[in-house]
Amino acid sequence: MHLRTPQLTGAATGLTGAATGLMGAVTGLMGAATGLTGAATGLTGAATGLMGAATELMGAATGLMGVATGLMGVATGLIGAYKYQNLVINLRKITVINQKF
């Protein structure tokens, strides 16, 4: 059986189409890989954002603890001032009592 030119041309066109289809499939796979890489990058960015938010919350908590510590210092100072005032008053009473005798 002899192949004629139209048959050879059709066969060549079919092979070219198959090769084009394979290249398209490879391009599609590369696109899918790029999409997966982008998704992984997005997830990493989201995790980084969450860690940053957690760090900010811890910083805020640390600041609040600092405020509480400052308030306790103020309270300690006020208690100390009150005790000193009572000590002075008691010393004055002792002085007055000693002067009476």
Side-chain angles (χ1 to χ4, degrees):
M1 174 174 150
H2 295 287
L3 293 176
R4 298 188 181 166
T5 302
Q7 291 172 332
L8 289 174
T9 304
T13 303
L15 288 173
T16 305
T20 304
L22 285 173
M23 288 190 295
V26 170
T27 303
L29 287 173
M30 290 190 296
T34 303
L36 288 173
T37 305
T41 303
L43 288 173
T44 304
T48 304
L50 287 173
M51 288 189 292
T55 303
E56 287 182 16
L57 287 173
M58 289 189 292
T62 303
L64 289 173
M65 288 189 289
V67 170
T69 304
L71 289 174
M72 288 189 289
V74 170
T76 303
L78 290 173
I79 292 169
Y82 177 76
K83 286 184 176 183
Y84 176 77
Q85 182 184 5
N86 283 341
L87 175 67
V88 169
I89 291 171
N90 288 336
L91 287 175
R92 286 181 184 161
K93 286 179 183 176
I94 290 171
T95 304
V96 169
I97 290 171
N98 285 341
Q99 286 176 358
K100 286 183 181 177
F101 290 107

